Each structure stands twice: as structure tokens, then as C-alpha cells.
Coordinates of all heavy atoms in Angstrom, one line a residue:
M28 N 9.5 32.8 -67.3 CA 9.0 32.6 -66.0 C 7.5 33.1 -65.9 O 7.2 34.1 -66.4 CB 9.8 33.3 -65.0 CG 11.0 32.6 -64.5 SD 11.7 33.4 -63.1 CE 13.4 33.2 -63.5
N29 N 6.7 32.3 -65.2 CA 5.3 32.8 -65.0 C 5.3 33.7 -63.8 O 6.2 33.9 -63.1 CB 4.4 31.6 -64.9 CG 4.7 30.7 -63.6 OD1 5.1 31.3 -62.6 ND2 4.5 29.4 -63.7
K30 N 4.1 34.3 -63.6 CA 4.0 35.3 -62.6 C 4.2 34.7 -61.2 O 4.8 35.3 -60.3 CB 2.6 36.0 -62.6 CG 2.4 36.9 -63.8 CD 1.1 37.6 -63.7 CE 0.9 38.5 -64.9 NZ -0.4 39.2 -64.9
A31 N 3.7 33.5 -61.0 CA 3.9 32.9 -59.6 C 5.3 32.7 -59.3 O 5.8 32.9 -58.2 CB 3.1 31.5 -59.6
T32 N 6.1 32.2 -60.3 CA 7.5 32.0 -60.1 C 8.2 33.4 -59.8 O 9.0 33.4 -58.9 CB 8.2 31.4 -61.3 OG1 7.5 30.2 -61.6 CG2 9.6 31.1 -61.1
L33 N 7.9 34.4 -60.5 CA 8.5 35.7 -60.2 C 8.1 36.2 -58.9 O 8.9 36.9 -58.2 CB 8.0 36.7 -61.3 CG 8.6 36.5 -62.7 CD1 8.0 37.4 -63.7 CD2 10.1 36.6 -62.7
L34 N 6.9 35.9 -58.4 CA 6.5 36.4 -57.1 C 7.2 35.6 -56.0 O 7.5 36.1 -54.9 CB 5.0 36.3 -56.9 CG 4.1 37.3 -57.7 CD1 2.7 36.9 -57.6 CD2 4.4 38.7 -57.3
L35 N 7.4 34.3 -56.2 CA 8.0 33.5 -55.1 C 9.6 33.6 -55.1 O 10.2 33.3 -54.1 CB 7.6 32.0 -55.3 CG 6.2 31.7 -55.1 CD1 5.9 30.3 -55.4 CD2 5.8 32.0 -53.6
L36 N 10.2 34.0 -56.2 CA 11.6 34.0 -56.3 C 12.2 34.9 -55.2 O 13.1 34.5 -54.5 CB 12.1 34.5 -57.6 CG 13.6 34.6 -57.9 CD1 14.2 33.2 -57.7 CD2 13.9 35.1 -59.3
P37 N 11.7 36.1 -54.9 CA 12.3 36.9 -53.8 C 12.2 36.2 -52.5 O 13.1 36.3 -51.6 CB 11.5 38.2 -53.9 CG 11.0 38.3 -55.2 CD 10.8 36.9 -55.7
L38 N 11.1 35.6 -52.2 CA 10.9 34.9 -51.0 C 11.9 33.7 -50.8 O 12.4 33.5 -49.7 CB 9.4 34.3 -50.8 CG 8.3 35.4 -50.8 CD1 7.0 34.7 -50.8 CD2 8.5 36.2 -49.6
T39 N 12.1 33.0 -51.9 CA 13.1 32.0 -51.8 C 14.5 32.5 -51.5 O 15.2 31.9 -50.7 CB 13.1 31.2 -53.2 OG1 11.8 30.7 -53.4 CG2 14.1 30.0 -53.2
L40 N 14.9 33.6 -52.2 CA 16.2 34.2 -51.9 C 16.3 34.7 -50.5 O 17.3 34.5 -49.9 CB 16.4 35.3 -52.9 CG 16.5 34.9 -54.4 CD1 16.6 36.2 -55.3 CD2 17.7 34.0 -54.6
V41 N 15.2 35.3 -50.0 CA 15.3 35.8 -48.6 C 15.4 34.6 -47.6 O 16.1 34.6 -46.7 CB 14.0 36.7 -48.3 CG1 13.9 36.9 -46.8 CG2 14.1 38.0 -49.1
A42 N 14.6 33.6 -47.9 CA 14.6 32.4 -47.0 C 16.0 31.8 -46.9 O 16.5 31.4 -45.9 CB 13.5 31.4 -47.4
G43 N 16.6 31.7 -48.1 CA 17.9 31.1 -48.1 C 18.9 31.9 -47.4 O 19.8 31.4 -46.6
S44 N 18.8 33.2 -47.5 CA 19.8 34.1 -46.8 C 19.5 34.1 -45.3 O 20.4 34.2 -44.5 CB 19.8 35.5 -47.4 OG 18.6 36.1 -47.2
V45 N 18.2 34.0 -44.9 CA 17.9 33.9 -43.5 C 18.5 32.6 -42.9 O 19.1 32.7 -41.8 CB 16.4 33.9 -43.3 CG1 16.0 33.6 -41.9 CG2 15.8 35.3 -43.6
H46 N 18.3 31.5 -43.6 CA 18.9 30.3 -43.1 C 20.4 30.4 -43.0 O 21.0 29.9 -42.0 CB 18.5 29.1 -44.0 CG 17.1 28.7 -43.8 ND1 16.5 27.7 -44.5 CD2 16.2 29.1 -42.9 CE1 15.2 27.6 -44.1 NE2 15.0 28.4 -43.1
A47 N 21.1 31.0 -44.0 CA 22.5 31.1 -43.9 C 22.9 32.0 -42.7 O 23.9 31.7 -42.1 CB 23.0 31.7 -45.2
A48 N 22.1 33.0 -42.5 CA 22.4 33.9 -41.4 C 22.2 33.2 -40.0 O 22.9 33.5 -39.1 CB 21.5 35.2 -41.5
L49 N 21.3 32.3 -40.0 CA 21.0 31.6 -38.7 C 22.1 30.6 -38.4 O 22.3 30.1 -37.3 CB 19.7 30.9 -38.8 CG 18.5 31.7 -38.7 CD1 17.2 30.9 -38.9 CD2 18.4 32.4 -37.3
L50 N 22.9 30.2 -39.5 CA 23.8 29.1 -39.3 C 25.2 29.5 -39.7 O 25.9 29.0 -40.5 CB 23.4 27.9 -40.2 CG 22.0 27.4 -39.9 CD1 21.6 26.3 -40.9 CD2 22.0 26.7 -38.5
P51 N 25.8 30.6 -39.0 CA 27.1 31.0 -39.2 C 28.0 30.0 -38.5 O 27.6 29.1 -37.7 CB 27.2 32.3 -38.6 CG 26.3 32.3 -37.4 CD 25.1 31.4 -37.9
G52 N 29.3 30.1 -38.7 CA 30.2 29.3 -37.9 C 31.2 28.5 -38.8 O 31.0 28.4 -40.0
D53 N 32.1 27.9 -38.2 CA 33.1 27.1 -38.9 C 32.9 25.6 -38.6 O 33.0 25.1 -37.5 CB 34.5 27.5 -38.3 CG 35.7 26.8 -39.0 OD1 35.6 25.5 -39.2 OD2 36.6 27.4 -39.3
A54 N 32.4 24.9 -39.7 CA 32.1 23.5 -39.5 C 33.2 22.6 -39.1 O 33.0 21.7 -38.3 CB 31.5 23.0 -40.9
A55 N 34.4 22.9 -39.5 CA 35.6 22.1 -39.0 C 35.8 22.2 -37.5 O 36.0 21.2 -36.8 CB 36.8 22.5 -39.8
K56 N 35.7 23.4 -37.0 CA 35.8 23.6 -35.6 C 34.6 23.0 -34.9 O 34.8 22.4 -33.8 CB 35.8 25.1 -35.2 CG 37.1 25.8 -35.6 CD 37.1 27.3 -35.3 CE 38.3 28.0 -35.7 NZ 38.2 29.5 -35.4
G57 N 33.5 23.1 -35.5 CA 32.3 22.4 -34.9 C 32.4 20.9 -34.8 O 32.0 20.3 -33.8
K58 N 33.0 20.3 -35.8 CA 33.2 18.9 -35.8 C 34.1 18.5 -34.7 O 33.9 17.5 -34.0 CB 33.7 18.4 -37.2 CG 33.9 16.8 -37.2 CD 34.5 16.3 -38.5 CE 34.7 14.8 -38.5 NZ 34.6 14.0 -37.3
A59 N 35.2 19.2 -34.5 CA 36.2 18.9 -33.4 C 35.5 19.0 -32.1 O 35.7 18.2 -31.2 CB 37.4 19.8 -33.5
L60 N 34.7 20.1 -31.9 CA 33.9 20.3 -30.7 C 32.9 19.1 -30.5 O 32.8 18.6 -29.4 CB 33.3 21.6 -30.7 CG 32.5 22.0 -29.5 CD1 33.4 22.1 -28.3 CD2 31.9 23.4 -29.7
H61 N 32.2 18.8 -31.5 CA 31.2 17.7 -31.5 C 31.9 16.4 -31.0 O 31.4 15.7 -30.2 CB 30.6 17.5 -32.8 CG 29.6 16.4 -32.9 ND1 30.0 15.1 -33.3 CD2 28.3 16.3 -32.6 CE1 28.9 14.3 -33.2 NE2 27.9 15.1 -32.8
D62 N 33.0 16.1 -31.7 CA 33.7 14.8 -31.4 C 34.3 14.8 -30.0 O 34.3 13.7 -29.4 CB 34.8 14.6 -32.4 CG 34.3 14.3 -33.8 OD1 33.1 14.1 -34.0 OD2 35.2 14.3 -34.8
K63 N 34.6 15.9 -29.4 CA 35.1 16.0 -28.1 C 34.0 16.0 -27.0 O 34.2 15.4 -26.0 CB 36.0 17.3 -27.9 CG 36.6 17.4 -26.6 CD 37.4 18.7 -26.5 CE 38.0 18.9 -25.1 NZ 38.8 20.1 -25.0
Q64 N 32.9 16.7 -27.3 CA 31.9 16.9 -26.3 C 30.6 16.1 -26.5 O 30.1 15.5 -25.5 CB 31.5 18.4 -26.2 CG 32.6 19.3 -25.9 CD 33.2 19.2 -24.5 OE1 32.5 18.6 -23.6 NE2 34.4 19.6 -24.3
C65 N 30.1 16.1 -27.7 CA 28.7 15.6 -27.9 C 28.6 14.1 -27.9 O 27.6 13.5 -27.4 CB 28.1 16.1 -29.2 SG 28.1 17.9 -29.2
V66 N 29.6 13.4 -28.4 CA 29.6 12.0 -28.5 C 29.7 11.3 -27.1 O 29.5 10.1 -27.0 CB 30.6 11.4 -29.5 CG1 30.3 11.8 -30.9 CG2 32.0 11.7 -29.1
A67 N 30.0 12.1 -26.1 CA 30.0 11.5 -24.7 C 28.6 11.1 -24.3 O 28.4 10.2 -23.5 CB 30.6 12.5 -23.7
C68 N 27.6 11.8 -24.9 CA 26.2 11.5 -24.5 C 25.4 10.7 -25.6 O 24.5 9.9 -25.3 CB 25.4 12.8 -24.3 SG 25.9 13.8 -22.9
H69 N 25.8 10.9 -26.8 CA 25.1 10.1 -27.9 C 26.0 10.1 -29.1 O 26.9 10.9 -29.3 CB 23.8 10.8 -28.2 CG 23.9 12.3 -28.6 ND1 24.3 12.6 -29.9 CD2 23.7 13.4 -27.9 CE1 24.3 14.0 -29.9 NE2 23.9 14.4 -28.8
D70 N 25.7 9.1 -30.0 CA 26.4 9.0 -31.3 C 25.6 9.8 -32.4 O 24.5 10.4 -32.1 CB 26.7 7.6 -31.7 CG 25.4 6.7 -31.9 OD1 24.3 7.3 -32.1 OD2 25.5 5.5 -31.9
S71 N 26.0 9.7 -33.6 CA 25.4 10.5 -34.7 C 24.0 9.9 -35.1 O 23.3 10.5 -35.8 CB 26.3 10.6 -35.9 OG 26.6 9.3 -36.4
S72 N 23.6 8.7 -34.6 CA 22.3 8.2 -35.0 C 21.2 9.1 -34.6 O 20.1 9.0 -35.2 CB 22.2 6.8 -34.4 OG 22.1 6.8 -33.0
V73 N 21.4 9.9 -33.6 CA 20.3 10.8 -33.1 C 20.0 11.8 -34.2 O 18.9 12.3 -34.3 CB 20.7 11.5 -31.8 CG1 21.8 12.5 -32.0 CG2 19.5 12.1 -31.1
Y74 N 20.9 12.1 -35.1 CA 20.7 13.1 -36.2 C 20.1 12.5 -37.4 O 19.6 13.2 -38.2 CB 22.0 13.8 -36.6 CG 22.9 14.2 -35.4 CD1 24.2 13.8 -35.3 CD2 22.4 15.1 -34.5 CE1 25.0 14.2 -34.2 CE2 23.2 15.5 -33.4 CZ 24.5 15.0 -33.3 OH 25.2 15.4 -32.2
T75 N 20.2 11.1 -37.5 CA 19.8 10.5 -38.8 C 18.6 9.6 -38.6 O 18.1 9.0 -39.5 CB 21.0 9.6 -39.3 OG1 21.4 8.7 -38.3 CG2 22.2 10.5 -39.7
R76 N 18.1 9.5 -37.4 CA 16.9 8.6 -37.1 C 15.7 9.1 -37.9 O 15.6 10.3 -38.2 CB 16.6 8.5 -35.7 CG 16.2 9.8 -35.0 CD 16.1 9.6 -33.5 NE 15.8 11.0 -32.9 CZ 16.0 11.2 -31.7 NH1 16.4 10.3 -30.8 NH2 15.7 12.4 -31.2
A77 N 14.8 8.2 -38.2 CA 13.7 8.6 -39.1 C 12.7 9.6 -38.4 O 12.1 10.4 -39.0 CB 12.9 7.3 -39.4
N78 N 12.6 9.5 -37.1 CA 11.7 10.3 -36.4 C 12.3 11.5 -35.7 O 11.9 12.0 -34.6 CB 10.9 9.5 -35.3 CG 11.8 8.9 -34.2 OD1 13.0 8.8 -34.4 ND2 11.2 8.6 -33.1
R79 N 13.4 12.0 -36.3 CA 14.1 13.2 -35.6 C 13.2 14.4 -35.5 O 12.4 14.6 -36.4 CB 15.4 13.5 -36.3 CG 15.3 14.1 -37.7 CD 16.6 14.3 -38.3 NE 16.5 15.0 -39.6 CZ 17.4 15.1 -40.4 NH1 18.6 14.6 -40.2 NH2 17.2 15.8 -41.5
R80 N 13.4 15.1 -34.4 CA 12.5 16.3 -34.1 C 13.0 17.6 -34.8 O 12.3 18.5 -34.8 CB 12.4 16.5 -32.6 CG 11.7 15.3 -31.9 CD 11.8 15.5 -30.5 NE 13.1 15.3 -30.0 CZ 13.6 15.6 -28.8 NH1 12.8 16.2 -27.9 NH2 14.9 15.4 -28.5
I81 N 14.2 17.6 -35.2 CA 14.8 18.8 -35.7 C 14.4 19.0 -37.2 O 14.9 18.2 -38.0 CB 16.3 18.8 -35.6 CG1 16.7 18.6 -34.1 CG2 16.9 20.1 -36.1 CD1 16.1 19.5 -33.1
N82 N 13.6 20.0 -37.5 CA 13.1 20.1 -38.9 C 13.3 21.6 -39.4 O 12.7 21.9 -40.4 CB 11.7 19.7 -39.0 CG 10.8 20.4 -38.0 OD1 11.1 21.4 -37.5 ND2 9.6 19.8 -37.8
S83 N 14.1 22.4 -38.7 CA 14.3 23.7 -39.2 C 15.6 24.2 -38.5 O 16.1 23.7 -37.5 CB 13.2 24.7 -38.7 OG 13.2 24.9 -37.3
P84 N 16.2 25.3 -39.1 CA 17.5 25.8 -38.5 C 17.2 26.3 -37.1 O 18.0 26.1 -36.2 CB 17.8 27.0 -39.4 CG 17.2 26.7 -40.7 CD 15.9 25.9 -40.4
E85 N 16.0 26.9 -36.9 CA 15.7 27.4 -35.5 C 15.6 26.3 -34.5 O 16.1 26.4 -33.4 CB 14.4 28.2 -35.6 CG 14.4 29.4 -36.4 CD 14.2 29.2 -37.9 OE1 13.9 28.0 -38.3 OE2 14.2 30.1 -38.7
A86 N 15.0 25.2 -34.9 CA 15.0 24.0 -34.0 C 16.3 23.5 -33.7 O 16.6 23.0 -32.6 CB 14.1 22.9 -34.6
L87 N 17.2 23.4 -34.7 CA 18.6 23.0 -34.5 C 19.3 23.9 -33.5 O 20.0 23.4 -32.6 CB 19.3 22.9 -35.9 CG 20.8 22.5 -35.8 CD1 21.0 21.1 -35.1 CD2 21.4 22.5 -37.2
I88 N 19.2 25.1 -33.7 CA 19.9 26.1 -32.8 C 19.3 25.9 -31.4 O 20.1 25.9 -30.4 CB 19.7 27.5 -33.3 CG1 20.4 27.7 -34.6 CG2 20.1 28.5 -32.2 CD1 20.1 29.0 -35.3
G89 N 18.0 25.8 -31.3 CA 17.4 25.6 -30.0 C 17.9 24.3 -29.3 O 18.1 24.3 -28.1
Q90 N 18.0 23.2 -30.1 CA 18.4 21.9 -29.5 C 19.8 22.0 -29.0 O 20.2 21.5 -28.0 CB 18.2 20.8 -30.5 CG 18.5 19.4 -29.9 CD 17.6 19.1 -28.7 OE1 16.4 19.3 -28.7 NE2 18.2 18.7 -27.6
V91 N 20.7 22.6 -29.8 CA 22.1 22.7 -29.4 C 22.2 23.5 -28.1 O 22.9 23.1 -27.2 CB 23.0 23.3 -30.5 CG1 24.3 23.7 -30.0 CG2 23.1 22.4 -31.7
N92 N 21.5 24.6 -28.1 CA 21.5 25.5 -26.9 C 20.9 24.7 -25.7 O 21.5 24.8 -24.6 CB 20.7 26.8 -27.1 CG 21.5 27.8 -27.8 OD1 22.7 28.1 -27.5 ND2 20.9 28.4 -28.8
N93 N 19.9 23.9 -25.9 CA 19.3 23.0 -24.8 C 20.4 22.0 -24.3 O 20.5 21.8 -23.1 CB 18.1 22.4 -25.3 CG 17.3 21.7 -24.2 OD1 17.3 22.1 -23.1 ND2 16.7 20.5 -24.6
C94 N 21.1 21.4 -25.2 CA 22.1 20.4 -24.8 C 23.2 21.1 -24.1 O 23.7 20.5 -23.1 CB 22.7 19.7 -26.1 SG 21.5 18.5 -26.8
V95 N 23.6 22.2 -24.5 CA 24.7 23.0 -23.8 C 24.2 23.3 -22.4 O 25.0 23.1 -21.4 CB 25.1 24.2 -24.6 CG1 25.9 25.2 -23.8 CG2 25.8 23.9 -25.9
R96 N 23.0 23.8 -22.3 CA 22.5 24.1 -21.0 C 22.4 22.9 -20.1 O 22.8 22.9 -18.9 CB 21.1 24.8 -21.1 CG 20.6 25.5 -20.0 CD 19.3 26.3 -20.3 NE 18.4 25.8 -21.3 CZ 18.3 26.1 -22.5 NH1 19.1 27.1 -23.0 NH2 17.4 25.6 -23.4
Q97 N 21.8 21.8 -20.6 CA 21.6 20.6 -19.8 C 22.9 19.9 -19.3 O 23.0 19.4 -18.2 CB 20.8 19.5 -20.6 CG 19.4 19.9 -20.7 CD 18.6 18.8 -21.5 OE1 19.2 17.9 -22.1 NE2 17.3 18.9 -21.6
T98 N 24.0 20.0 -20.2 CA 25.2 19.4 -19.8 C 26.2 20.3 -19.0 O 27.2 19.9 -18.5 CB 26.0 19.0 -21.1 OG1 26.2 20.1 -21.9 CG2 25.2 17.9 -21.8
G99 N 25.8 21.6 -19.0 CA 26.6 22.6 -18.2 C 27.9 22.9 -19.0 O 28.8 23.5 -18.3
L100 N 28.0 22.6 -20.3 CA 29.2 23.0 -21.0 C 29.4 24.5 -21.0 O 28.4 25.2 -21.1 CB 29.1 22.5 -22.5 CG 29.2 21.0 -22.7 CD1 29.0 20.7 -24.1 CD2 30.6 20.5 -22.3
K101 N 30.6 25.0 -21.0 CA 30.8 26.4 -21.1 C 31.3 26.7 -22.5 O 32.5 26.8 -22.8 CB 31.9 26.8 -20.1 CG 31.6 26.4 -18.6 CD 30.5 27.2 -18.1 CE 30.2 26.8 -16.7 NZ 28.9 27.0 -16.2
L102 N 30.3 26.9 -23.4 CA 30.6 27.2 -24.8 C 30.2 28.6 -25.0 O 29.1 29.1 -24.6 CB 29.8 26.3 -25.7 CG 30.1 24.8 -25.6 CD1 29.2 24.0 -26.6 CD2 31.5 24.4 -25.7
D103 N 31.0 29.3 -25.8 CA 30.7 30.7 -26.2 C 29.8 30.7 -27.4 O 29.7 29.6 -28.0 CB 31.9 31.6 -26.3 CG 32.9 31.2 -27.4 OD1 32.4 30.6 -28.4 OD2 34.1 31.4 -27.2
R104 N 29.3 31.8 -27.8 CA 28.4 31.9 -29.0 C 29.1 31.4 -30.2 O 28.5 30.7 -31.1 CB 28.0 33.4 -29.2 CG 27.1 33.6 -30.4 CD 25.8 32.9 -30.5 NE 25.0 32.9 -29.3 CZ 24.1 31.9 -29.0 NH1 23.9 30.9 -29.8 NH2 23.5 32.0 -27.9
G105 N 30.4 31.7 -30.4 CA 31.1 31.3 -31.6 C 31.2 29.7 -31.6 O 31.1 29.1 -32.7
Q106 N 31.5 29.1 -30.5 CA 31.6 27.7 -30.5 C 30.2 27.0 -30.8 O 30.1 26.0 -31.5 CB 32.1 27.2 -29.1 CG 33.5 27.5 -28.9 CD 33.9 27.2 -27.4 OE1 33.3 27.7 -26.5 NE2 35.0 26.4 -27.3
I107 N 29.1 27.6 -30.3 CA 27.8 27.1 -30.5 C 27.5 27.2 -32.0 O 27.0 26.3 -32.7 CB 26.7 27.8 -29.7 CG1 26.9 27.4 -28.2 CG2 25.3 27.5 -30.2 CD1 26.1 28.1 -27.2
N108 N 27.9 28.4 -32.6 CA 27.7 28.6 -34.1 C 28.5 27.6 -34.9 O 28.0 27.0 -35.8 CB 28.1 30.0 -34.5 CG 27.1 31.1 -34.0 OD1 26.0 30.8 -33.6 ND2 27.6 32.3 -34.0
D109 N 29.7 27.3 -34.4 CA 30.5 26.3 -35.1 C 29.8 24.9 -35.0 O 29.8 24.2 -36.0 CB 31.9 26.2 -34.5 CG 32.7 27.4 -34.6 OD1 32.4 28.3 -35.5 OD2 33.7 27.6 -33.9
L110 N 29.3 24.6 -33.9 CA 28.7 23.3 -33.7 C 27.4 23.2 -34.5 O 27.2 22.1 -35.2 CB 28.4 23.1 -32.2 CG 27.8 21.7 -31.8 CD1 28.7 20.6 -32.2 CD2 27.7 21.7 -30.2
V111 N 26.6 24.2 -34.5 CA 25.4 24.2 -35.3 C 25.7 24.1 -36.8 O 25.1 23.3 -37.5 CB 24.5 25.5 -35.1 CG1 23.5 25.7 -36.1 CG2 24.0 25.4 -33.7
N112 N 26.7 24.8 -37.3 CA 27.1 24.7 -38.7 C 27.6 23.3 -39.0 O 27.2 22.8 -40.1 CB 28.2 25.8 -39.0 CG 28.4 25.9 -40.4 OD1 29.1 25.1 -41.1 ND2 27.9 27.0 -41.0
H113 N 28.4 22.7 -38.2 CA 28.8 21.3 -38.4 C 27.6 20.4 -38.6 O 27.6 19.6 -39.5 CB 29.8 20.8 -37.3 CG 29.9 19.4 -37.3 ND1 30.4 18.6 -38.3 CD2 29.5 18.5 -36.3 CE1 30.4 17.3 -38.0 NE2 29.8 17.2 -36.8
L114 N 26.7 20.5 -37.6 CA 25.6 19.6 -37.6 C 24.7 19.8 -38.9 O 24.2 18.8 -39.5 CB 24.7 19.8 -36.4 CG 25.4 19.3 -35.1 CD1 24.5 19.7 -33.9 CD2 25.7 17.8 -35.1
D115 N 24.6 21.0 -39.3 CA 23.8 21.3 -40.5 C 24.5 20.8 -41.7 O 23.9 20.1 -42.5 CB 23.5 22.8 -40.6 CG 22.7 23.1 -41.9 OD1 21.6 22.6 -42.0 OD2 23.2 23.8 -42.8
E116 N 25.8 21.1 -41.9 CA 26.5 20.6 -43.0 C 26.6 19.1 -43.1 O 26.5 18.5 -44.2 CB 27.9 21.2 -43.1 CG 27.9 22.6 -43.5 CD 29.3 23.2 -43.8 OE1 30.3 22.4 -43.8 OE2 29.4 24.4 -44.0
S117 N 26.7 18.4 -42.0 CA 26.9 17.0 -41.9 C 25.6 16.2 -42.0 O 25.6 15.1 -42.5 CB 27.7 16.6 -40.7 OG 29.0 17.2 -40.7
F118 N 24.6 16.7 -41.4 CA 23.3 15.9 -41.2 C 22.1 16.6 -41.7 O 21.3 15.9 -42.4 CB 23.2 15.5 -39.7 CG 24.3 14.8 -39.2 CD1 25.3 15.4 -38.4 CD2 24.5 13.4 -39.5 CE1 26.4 14.7 -37.9 CE2 25.6 12.8 -39.0 CZ 26.5 13.4 -38.2
Y119 N 21.8 17.8 -41.3 CA 20.5 18.4 -41.6 C 20.4 19.1 -42.9 O 19.3 19.0 -43.5 CB 20.2 19.4 -40.4 CG 20.0 18.7 -39.1 CD1 21.1 18.6 -38.2 CD2 18.9 17.9 -38.8 CE1 20.9 17.9 -37.0 CE2 18.7 17.3 -37.7 CZ 19.8 17.3 -36.7 OH 19.7 16.6 -35.6
K120 N 21.4 19.7 -43.4 CA 21.4 20.4 -44.7 C 20.3 21.4 -44.9 O 19.6 21.3 -46.0 CB 21.4 19.3 -45.8 CG 22.6 18.3 -45.5 CD 23.0 17.6 -46.7 CE 24.0 16.5 -46.4 NZ 25.3 16.9 -45.8
F121 N 20.1 22.3 -44.0 CA 19.1 23.3 -44.1 C 19.6 24.4 -45.1 O 18.8 25.1 -45.7 CB 18.8 24.0 -42.8 CG 18.1 23.0 -41.9 CD1 18.6 22.8 -40.6 CD2 16.9 22.4 -42.2 CE1 18.0 21.9 -39.8 CE2 16.3 21.5 -41.4 CZ 16.8 21.3 -40.1
K122 N 20.9 24.6 -45.2 CA 21.5 25.7 -46.1 C 21.5 25.2 -47.5 O 21.7 24.1 -47.8 CB 22.9 26.1 -45.7 CG 23.0 26.8 -44.4 CD 24.2 27.6 -44.3 CE 25.3 26.8 -43.7 NZ 26.5 27.5 -43.5

């Protein structure tokens, strides 16, 4: 390995663990929640469109929280984590 690779390796490992820490949750529970709640407003094309606005784990978390707030859903932190994890695993693939 060259020096640049050795210097960037720790940053890559930290970034990966930060993304994993930002996206905890149970994807299966998140899918069930998504299928029950989210598809009432939109289908999955919002996640796959070419001009989607979500380009980071932080943006995904923010958007899910925004949707929850706008719709008045009563979701706890665990349910939000499950939903974010499902969306990431199924569409965004930040981890």
C-alpha cells in the first residue's frame, strides 16, 4: 500500500462505522411500517427517481423525521430507526 492509501484507510473505516451508527434498526420491521404508513402518500418511485434529494444518511434521517412530523404519525425512535434502515437497505445503500 502507498502512503496515501494508508492515510485514508482509517478515515474510510470511521466513515463506514459512522454511517452504520446513523442507520440502526430492523429493516424487516421498517418494511412493514413503510408498507402500512408511507405508501398512503407515495409509492417507491420517490426513492428511485433520477433527481432524488437524499444523498447521505443524515439527509435520509432528516427526511424520514420530516415526513413523520408532517403526517402526524406517532412513531417512536425505534420505529423511525427501523424505517430508515429499511429505506437504506432497499433503496439508498449508504451502508
Side-chain angles (χ1 to χ4, degrees):
M28 275 189 220
N29 64 34
K30 286 183 182 181
T32 302
L33 289 173
L34 290 172
L35 292 175
L36 184 59
L38 295 175
T39 303
L40 294 174
V41 169
S44 65
V45 168
H46 285 173
L49 287 173
L50 301 172
D53 182 313
K56 288 180 182 177
K58 180 180 181 348
L60 184 60
H61 177 270
D62 292 350
K63 181 178 179 185
Q64 300 293 340
C65 302
V66 296
C68 293
H69 58 79
D70 63 19
S71 63
S72 67
V73 71
Y74 314 123
T75 58
R76 62 186 176 198
N78 64 340
R79 68 181 186 194
R80 296 175 289 167
I81 306 305
N82 55 17
S83 71
E85 297 84 2
L87 178 56
I88 293 165
Q90 185 60 48
V91 168
N92 281 310
N93 189 35
C94 287
V95 168
R96 195 171 35 259
Q97 286 181 353
T98 60
L100 289 174
K101 303 294 184 209
L102 301 181
D103 64 31
R104 176 58 49 206
Q106 290 172 306
I107 291 172
N108 289 343
D109 294 344
L110 186 53
V111 167
N112 192 281
H113 160 65
L114 293 173
D115 180 57
E116 284 189 9
S117 298
F118 303 102
Y119 295 100
K120 308 205 185 299
F121 295 122
K122 293 200 269 189

